[in-house]
Amino acid sequence: MVCLGNICRSPLAEGILRSKTSKFSNFEVASSGTAAWHVGKSPDKRSVDVALKHGIDISKFRASQFRKSDFDTFDKILVMDTSNYKDVLSLAPNQKAKEKVQLLLSLDTSSKEQEVPDPYYGGLDGFEKVFQMISKACDAFLLTQVSSK
Ligand code: 4NP
């Protein structure tokens, strides 16, 4: 799960997908940001609070920056917006790596939006909206995983 700062959207996405896959042993979920600004920091308090409201604890997560080796480590790289998409693609070493990258919301065919909006400069309601968008897209993602097995 990749966003810009790895303190608002992608830690939420990591926490949500971890929680939805906790009963399976064959998923490894992580998150990072394309920027290095917040490396080592905790998620934004508003993301922590919204996740906790839904029973998910992301308070121990620490921000990291997306790196080229992540293309080897992960099968899927789900990005929050088109800017993240461009930044991640620019690091892809080959076509196979490029094909791993997808906009998270593109998995949710019922979503009118293509991008998870950056809630950083808004209020708590923006974080709740982002939580719901990510949660629905993670459900859609899991359906693709089950049906491809
Ligand atoms: P995120 O949100 O990409 O969802 O973690 C942001 C967090 C911090 C900044 C921008 C976006 N920032 O400019 O510091």
Side-chain angles (χ1 to χ4, degrees):
M1 295 297 196
V2 180
C3 64
L4 176 60
N6 194 211
I7 56 167
C8 295
R9 293 165 292 176
S10 60
L12 268 181
E14 178 183 345
I16 291 167
L17 191 58
R18 272 183 186 275
S19 129
K20 290 183 194 288
T21 57
S22 63
K23 49 186 175 296
F24 308 113
S25 58
N26 53 339
F27 285 89
E28 189 178 329
V29 186
S31 67
S32 63
T34 56
W37 307 320
H38 301 285
V39 168
K41 301 261 176 65
S42 304
D44 188 288
K45 186 178 182 305
R46 296 164 294 178
S47 283
V48 173
D49 289 349
V50 164
L52 213 50
K53 201 183 115 197
H54 294 277
I56 299 172
D57 181 8
I58 64 166
S59 65
K60 304 284 190 303
F61 292 2
R62 295 293 178 266
S64 62
Q65 186 176 25
F66 182 83
R67 48 191 177 164
K68 212 170 163 178
S69 63
D70 291 327
F71 285 110
D72 299 323
T73 312
F74 298 99
D75 300 317
K76 274 250 176 282
I77 297 161
L78 301 173
V79 299
M80 301 299 131
D81 64 33
T82 52
S83 169
N84 311 147
Y85 186 80
K86 276 190 219 125
D87 290 340
V88 169
L89 271 197
S90 74
L91 295 172
N94 52 44
Q95 186 60 27
K96 187 166 170 261
K98 282 186 183 155
E99 285 166 10
K100 292 184 174 185
V101 189
Q102 268 186 287
L103 279 169
L104 173 66
L105 292 196
S106 71
L107 301 167
D108 176 8
T109 50
S110 72
S111 173
K112 287 190 203 82
E113 272 122 328
Q114 279 293 302
E115 303 185 287
V116 180
D118 185 351
Y120 188 62
Y121 295 104
L124 204 57
D125 54 334
F127 284 74
E128 176 62 30
K129 185 175 167 226
V130 159
F131 183 98
Q132 297 300 338
M133 291 171 106
I134 293 172
S135 181
K136 271 187 73 194
C138 286
D139 287 338
F141 169 68
L142 283 174
L143 277 178
T144 69
Q145 296 301 296
V146 170
S147 58
S148 69
K149 290 270 147 63

